[in-house]
Amino acid sequence: MTSNLSIGQRVAWYRRRRGMSQDVLAGLVGRTTDWLSKVENDRITLDRLSVIKSLASVLDVSLGDLLAEPHLFEWTDGSGEQTIPALRAAITDYRQLSPMAGLVENTEPSSQADLRRAVAEVWRAYQGARYSYVIRTLPGLLGEAHHAARAANGDARMAALGVLGQVYHAAASILTKVGEADLAWIAAERGLSFARQSGDQLVTASLLRSVTHALLSNGRYEAAKQLTMDAANLLSPDLPHATAELLSVYGTLYLAGSMAAARDDDRSTTRAFLAEAQEAAVRLGSDANHVWTAFGPTNVRIHQVATAIELGDIQVAVELGPKLDTSGLPIERRARHGLAVAHALSLWNRTDDAMAALLEAETIAPEQVRHHYLSRQLTMSWIRRQKGKPSFQLTALARRLHIV
């Protein structure tokens, strides 16, 4: 198989591998055989993750299998020739978990100040959609953070564990972005463990958000909703006198939860979670980036658009999305919203406008667009819609995405 198959073609491929007829698969997901036939022949586009997840569950494959994730991470001047496998090796390095770890180390650990500066630079690169830098830097940073935590004692060790949790958070975030859902889950779970040991409430809450995103990327929407409520309950006693940092983390927890609820086709919970996030944003007062959350009123509106798409309310997304001014947010947020707008416009059969939105997102965040499954799926769908030869602009986009 290649990543150049449409989602419908992958459904057909896995269905045949399972020895399942169209009648049987259609019945198991509560659809007609005619509907499934049109999906597999690309006459109907699968545009909602809730439907794709139901097909994946019946076919006994992961959500990423149907979305063709992960996608090959390219070598660039920024990444070098050590990319995701190097990060995987760092996360799964048994020596970091062994009781014997550190006994043969003879170098001085990095200072807490140096590590915090390095973590901040990784988050700046992540929010700037400089994925190559993040992936190149994280393996070494993980090793340094582990070394510092092992070498520290008392309060210094608690602080070092908090930094280590933040490094794993960054790893989980970038792995989610490039489609490495299982590895992202490992990083998020491990980071949460270190965060809890640190006793730092903000770091722990941030890692709970990371775990929620990891559950989302694995298609575990019900679990992600439950974790959102559990994490919010953990923070709620401190809300009456919450700092801007706590409000931001609390609000972003509900934003992640709103996406899980929408993908689970749960309208009432989606509305409730968005309302909680909106209340936190109102209290915060303006867009900010506390604890690298990019949280504020604009991010809430971004999620109102994104959840509308997931729930099939395309007209709402088309009316709200293109008008939203995201220029004050980090590049990663702006580009992701651009992809959502492109998706909504494409579903509304405004292909030219959709392509313009995707190209604008590519201009500000080429690596992010290149490695997102939605970019490839949209471009392939536009090529298939062409009655004649695709335009030069569309062909060039397809080449940059390595579709042709």
Side-chain angles (χ1 to χ4, degrees), residues 305-375:
V305 172
T307 54
I309 295 171
E310 298 291 350
L311 290 167
D313 299 331
I314 309 305
Q315 184 173 357
V316 173
V318 168
E319 290 176 352
L320 296 179
K323 299 175 185 176
L324 187 54
D325 180 10
T326 63
S327 59
L329 297 186
I331 286 173
E332 180 273 330
R333 286 286 78 209
R334 292 166 56 195
R336 184 61 187 89
H337 178 66
L339 284 171
V341 170
H343 189 192
L345 291 170
S346 184
L347 293 172
W348 211 242
N349 290 320
R350 289 171 54 182
T351 303
D352 290 343
D353 292 335
M355 192 185 307
L358 192 150
L359 290 173
E360 182 178 353
E362 185 191 26
T363 298
I364 64 171
E367 287 189 86
Q368 182 173 353
V369 170
R370 190 178 306 130
H371 292 288
H372 201 287
Y373 83 92
L374 190 54
S375 307

Side-chain angles (χ1 to χ4, degrees), residues 204-388:
T204 300
S206 292
L207 264 298
L208 287 168
R209 173 170 60 103
S210 179
V211 173
T212 303
H213 282 294
L215 289 170
L216 262 174
S217 65
N218 277 282
R220 297 176 60 188
Y221 306 139
E222 190 65 40
K225 288 192 297 182
Q226 185 60 53
L227 179 57
T228 298
M229 291 184 284
D230 292 344
N233 287 336
L234 182 68
L235 298 178
S236 60
D238 298 311
L239 283 181
H241 308 288
T243 63
E245 289 79 9
L246 181 60
L247 276 175
S248 297
V249 172
Y250 181 81
T252 50
L253 274 168
Y254 273 112
L255 291 183
S258 73
M259 292 301 297
R263 290 176 184 178
D264 204 35
D265 216 14
D266 183 347
R267 288 179 176 272
S268 62
T269 302
T270 301
R271 286 194 296 269
F273 283 1
L274 285 173
E276 288 286 347
Q278 177 66 32
E279 184 176 339
V282 169
R283 285 185 62 187
L284 189 63
S286 62
D287 294 329
N289 196 24
H290 300 294
V291 203
W292 309 103
T293 57
F295 182 72
T298 303
N299 208 350
V300 174
R301 288 192 285 273
I302 283 175
H303 281 76
Q304 289 171 344
V305 172
T307 54
I309 295 171
E310 298 291 350
L311 290 167
D313 299 331
I314 309 305
Q315 184 173 357
V316 173
V318 168
E319 290 176 352
L320 296 179
K323 299 175 185 176
L324 187 54
D325 180 10
T326 63
S327 59
L329 297 186
I331 286 173
E332 180 273 330
R333 286 286 78 209
R334 292 166 56 195
R336 184 61 187 89
H337 178 66
L339 284 171
V341 170
H343 189 192
L345 291 170
S346 184
L347 293 172
W348 211 242
N349 290 320
R350 289 171 54 182
T351 303
D352 290 343
D353 292 335
M355 192 185 307
L358 192 150
L359 290 173
E360 182 178 353
E362 185 191 26
T363 298
I364 64 171
E367 287 189 86
Q368 182 173 353
V369 170
R370 190 178 306 130
H371 292 288
H372 201 287
Y373 83 92
L374 190 54
S375 307
R376 301 191 297 277
Q377 293 301 325
L378 286 173
T379 303
M380 284 190 284
S381 72
W382 297 335
I383 290 173
R384 291 188 178 97
R385 288 182 195 176
Q386 300 289 311
K387 294 181 179 178

